[in-house]
Amino acid sequence: MSAIQDRKLSYSNTVPCGSVHRAAICEVFLTDSVRVSEDEYLIAAQLPRVHSYYSDHVAAPAAYDPLLLVEVFRQASIYAAHTFLSAPLDNKFIFVSGELNIMDPEALRIGARPGRGEIRAHQAELKHRDGVVTGSTLDLTLSVDGTEAATMRTVCQWMPGTAWDRMREKGRAALTLTPARPHHTGRRVAPIAVGRTSAQNIVLAEAEVRDWEVRTQVVVDQTNPALFDHPLDHIPGALIFEGFRQSAIYAANELFGLSPRSLLLSRVETDFTRFGEFELPTDCVVRVVESPVPDTVAFEISMVQEDQQIARARVHLARTSPITGALEDRFAYAASA
């Protein structure tokens, strides 16, 4: 076993696209892996310094996007299931929940070379059905260039395509999907309002600001090559995470006057409760919750389709400087309202 542990991870080639459920080679970030013990793996990832989606932010200095880390963790969870748990490559995956925590924002600063990520994955729990592994809970820690940067717990399940089709058909049959009524992809908030520069990467349309609550319309644009690397039959988790982040940033600006330029997604705890359908309008309802520390703004967010929840999250946005003075008083009032 020590010989395996001593083997250096390689960053020279990506893993096969199919092992992380990606079609485009440029969207594959994992490069190598090794099994350390029965329930622990090391997985290598290369972080791109420039990316049309993950680099599209106004914050300075340039840093790796926390949602890039979410994607790396997602790929690691799928890859580990196929590589170490014998999940068939043609199985369909469901992500039940995910909890990301940024440990060291300074470790995300982009340097002169692509970041070398090393993920230590611990198998916390397995789900079995008829003696076969069908689900996994992983505790993952990502180090970037030798510094621990983030952790994430992922819970996922997988099943054959035939079982997936039966489940999807049953779920869709219970909904009224015609006529289709999604939010129009042509109406989007200004990119600067959510800390972006490209309109293509905006997933919010119109927003309604109430007393300490914001309701945003989520744009589901299937032409976005990063969010929709390949055709899907439901709204993907990547878009849901982005909808949560952009809704939180928009609310922080509208309710507290906080600049999107100074906000970093520092923690997100997400549960996926049902499939999001393309035919239905999708919204986020954002409510203020108590801030755990002075320099963090926190929100409870529900993503709904015609008032039926499809996902929920608690999102923490870290500021580059603490909330002080009148702004702190205003936050305290909002949190108690």
Side-chain angles (χ1 to χ4, degrees), residues 71-294:
E71 173 59 18
V72 167
F73 284 132
R74 184 200 71 87
Q75 291 188 16
S77 299
I78 293 174
Y79 179 81
H82 290 313
T83 305
F84 302 117
L85 301 177
S86 301
L89 284 173
D90 60 354
N91 270 201
K92 303 284 189 176
F93 276 63
I94 299 174
F95 275 82
V96 180
S97 63
E99 182 177 333
L100 172 76
N101 184 40
I102 302 299
M103 301 168 62
D104 185 357
E106 292 298 317
L108 302 184
R109 294 283 182 92
I110 296 177
R113 297 181 179 181
R116 288 195 167 190
E118 181 178 291
I119 302 165
R120 183 170 291 273
H122 172 70
Q123 195 72 66
E125 187 177 344
L126 293 175
K127 181 178 180 180
H128 296 81
R129 183 168 184 175
D130 298 328
V132 177
V133 178
T134 59
S136 167
T137 299
L138 278 176
D139 288 324
L140 305 133
T141 300
L142 171 67
S143 296
V144 179
D145 296 327
T147 301
E148 288 192 358
T151 64
M152 189 168 187
R153 166 168 277 211
T154 62
V155 180
C156 61
Q157 301 174 16
W158 51 90
M159 65 187 71
T162 52
W164 174 279
D165 292 340
R166 289 195 300 269
M167 177 184 65
R168 291 291 287 128
E169 288 172 7
K170 181 179 179 180
R172 286 174 58 81
L175 302 171
T176 303
L177 300 176
T178 54
R181 45 200 183 275
H183 294 308
H184 197 286
T185 59
R187 293 195 299 269
R188 309 192 194 202
V189 302
I192 192 63
V194 292
R196 291 275 191 178
T197 60
S198 172
Q200 183 185 35
N201 293 325
I202 303 305
V203 302
L204 300 188
E206 300 172 6
E208 179 184 358
V209 181
R210 305 171 183 174
D211 289 339
W212 311 117
E213 179 181 295
V214 175
R215 189 181 185 102
T216 63
Q217 296 180 356
V218 179
V219 173
V220 181
D221 183 359
Q222 297 182 60
T223 67
N224 186 297
L227 295 175
F228 290 90
D229 165 76
H230 56 279
L232 296 167
D233 68 355
H234 62 285
I235 297 175
L239 194 150
I240 292 174
F241 273 110
E242 186 62 47
F244 284 145
R245 173 170 62 181
Q246 291 189 17
S247 295
I249 291 175
Y250 189 90
N253 181 250
E254 287 290 325
L255 299 180
F256 303 109
L258 302 178
S259 170
R261 190 181 297 273
S262 65
L263 294 173
L264 171 75
L265 179 68
S266 60
R267 184 176 179 184
V268 57
E269 308 153 49
T270 303
D271 294 311
F272 302 97
T273 52
R274 60 187 294 171
F275 288 98
E277 307 294 349
F278 294 132
E279 297 90 341
L280 300 178
T282 307
D283 300 273
C284 277
V285 180
V286 187
R287 299 182 178 91
V288 180
V289 296
E290 184 178 356
S291 177
V293 290

